[in-house]
Amino acid sequence: TDFSLPDFDRPLRKDRTDDAKNMAKHLKELNVKPDLILCSPAKRTKQTAEYFCEKLKYDFGKINFDDRLYESGAEEYMSVIRETDEGIKTLIVIGHNPSITDFTNQFLENKIDEVPTTGVVWLQFENNNWEIYRNTPCRLKHFLTPKTI
């Protein structure tokens, strides 16, 4: 990790780059077809998004880069997600910790200690729109980490 750069400009470390590529490949094998990708505009999340777009055949130009997904919390993530059009059925959010872990744990009885870099949490919500709240029923479909795929 290059700490001489501002956090926002730090790239993915080489080992994390390999992890991101492997995770994207695994999501393709799971037949993930995103209707929308929301992403923090930080350099390392953009890099992750590039690998996901390449493997999942998603147009990088259609990514919604949202400043609220950088240096924020679970509530901001919830707000950004709630703005998603109800026509979107499969949504990918690429962000940062601790926000991703905190967001996820709002919905889970069995909490996750930490979603690692390039880790994926696949939540399946029971409602037909993105008007989600802490009590919105959902299930953990997958929790994927670089070590488990």
Side-chain angles (χ1 to χ4, degrees):
T1 303
D2 184 352
F3 290 107
S4 68
L5 291 171
D7 181 73
F8 188 85
D9 297 324
R10 278 192 298 121
L12 271 177
R13 291 188 344 224
K14 173 66 178 119
D15 57 330
R16 300 295 187 237
T17 298
D18 294 340
D19 289 346
K21 289 177 181 176
N22 289 335
M23 188 62 70
K25 182 175 177 262
H26 192 71
L27 290 176
K28 180 181 180 182
E29 290 166 2
L30 290 173
N31 206 28
V32 173
K33 292 184 171 124
D35 297 311
L36 177 64
I37 295 178
L38 300 174
C39 186
S40 159
K43 182 169 186 165
R44 60 193 178 279
T45 47
K46 281 184 173 180
Q47 287 175 288
T48 300
E50 285 177 25
Y51 302 129
F52 281 29
C53 287
E54 182 184 323
K55 284 292 181 198
L56 303 177
K57 306 292 185 229
Y58 186 87
D59 181 353
F60 187 82
K62 292 184 178 178
I63 293 176
N64 181 351
F65 292 101
D66 195 308
D67 291 338
R68 294 173 294 171
L69 297 176
Y70 178 73
E71 288 191 339
S72 61
E75 286 304 315
E76 286 86 357
Y77 276 54
M78 189 89 77
S79 295
V80 172
I81 291 168
R82 280 189 199 126
E83 294 171 8
T84 302
D85 184 82
E86 70 178 54
I88 302 297
K89 299 301 177 203
T90 303
L91 174 68
I92 291 178
V93 179
I94 302 173
H96 306 273
N97 263 324
S99 307
I100 288 281
T101 301
D102 293 345
F103 172 81
T104 300
N105 281 335
Q106 294 180 104
F107 302 101
L108 301 181
E109 196 171 310
N110 298 318
K111 308 297 184 205
I112 292 172
D113 289 334
E114 182 181 44
V115 179
T117 301
T118 73
V120 169
V121 176
W122 185 336
L123 298 175
Q124 188 165 27
F125 291 93
E126 292 182 17
N127 52 337
N128 294 326
N129 61 40
W130 295 101
E131 198 56 39
I132 57 171
Y133 298 90
R134 292 171 190 251
N135 61 352
T136 301
C138 81
R139 72 180 185 93
L140 177 64
K141 191 166 177 178
H142 294 284
F143 176 41
L144 308 169
T145 71
K147 292 180 178 165
T148 63
I149 60 169

